[in-house]
Amino acid sequence: GTQDGLNKYNGHEVTVYRSKDDDSTSIGSNDIAVIFEDSNHNLWIGTKGGGLSLYNREQDNFTTIRELLDGPDKTKGITDHTVFSLSEDDDGNLWVGTNNGLNIKPARQDTFQHIFSDPNDPNTISDDYIESLFKDSRGNMWVGTASGLNRYDAQTDSFHRIEEVAANDLIY
């Protein structure tokens, strides 16, 4: 992934995928921020400004999920058009970090749960700017934000802010 498209090398030649305004099956943006392959071998591409694209290997094209915050179908979209990080939890849920919230796509569903920081609730993520996502060897999900590090507690469906990390540090 580059700032000028997604490159695929098949061992002999390079194919460059670029966003095309007149093609809804092209990649969402040329500025690629993250590439992630999930446990079902789906290839997800997070872009800067163009949302989240899913590559269809059979048709050699993309389905793009964009920001959609209003209306009855808002759970079909993500919370921002810039996607910085992608990961998957042990249940096969796709985690999508944007610069305006965390999005979780349950396995085998086409909807997203939107998660935002609440300064009055210490059990939420510490900031809506999600820079990094990581699943550790124990299956814990970690969320790096513009205001510190958070660990998700699946038992309580809440986040634990790691106070040992400076709260104003951007976590990569």
Side-chain angles (χ1 to χ4, degrees), residues 66-70 74-75 77-82 95-104 112-130 133 143 145-147 150 152 157-161:
R66 299 188 189 277
E67 178 181 15
L68 185 63
L69 289 179
D70 296 323
K74 68 181 179 182
T75 61
I78 56 177
T79 56
D80 196 82
H81 54 269
T82 295
W95 289 50
V96 181
T98 73
N99 66 357
N100 185 33
L102 176 63
N103 304 263
I104 299 177
F112 289 85
Q113 175 188 6
H114 302 147
I115 298 171
F116 296 100
S117 175
D118 179 348
N120 298 316
D121 184 353
N123 295 314
T124 63
I125 53 177
S126 55
D127 196 283
D128 291 333
Y129 188 99
I130 312 299
L133 295 166
V143 181
T145 75
S147 298
N150 307 262
Y152 176 67
D157 191 29
S158 64
F159 290 86
H160 172 69
R161 297 176 185 178

Side-chain angles (χ1 to χ4, degrees), residues 126-141:
S126 55
D127 196 283
D128 291 333
Y129 188 99
I130 312 299
E131 181 67 32
S132 57
L133 295 166
F134 179 73
K135 180 179 80 171
D136 70 20
S137 61
R138 294 185 176 130
N140 293 311
M141 293 301 296

Side-chain angles (χ1 to χ4, degrees), residues 41-53:
H41 306 290
N42 294 310
L43 192 62
W44 298 92
I45 299 94
T47 71
K48 293 181 181 177
L52 176 65
S53 293

Side-chain angles (χ1 to χ4, degrees), residues 17-28 53-56 59-64 66:
Y17 298 95
R18 290 191 178 94
S19 181
K20 300 175 186 168
D21 290 338
D22 62 343
D23 184 358
S24 65
T25 66
S26 69
I27 196 162
S53 293
L54 173 61
Y55 178 62
N56 183 322
Q59 296 180 14
D60 196 33
N61 64 19
F62 298 86
T63 299
T64 298
R66 299 188 189 277

Side-chain angles (χ1 to χ4, degrees), residues 126-127 145-149 162-171:
S126 55
D127 196 283
T145 75
S147 298
L149 183 64
I162 308 303
E163 301 296 333
E164 294 79 13
V165 177
N168 294 324
D169 285 348
L170 176 62
I171 306 297

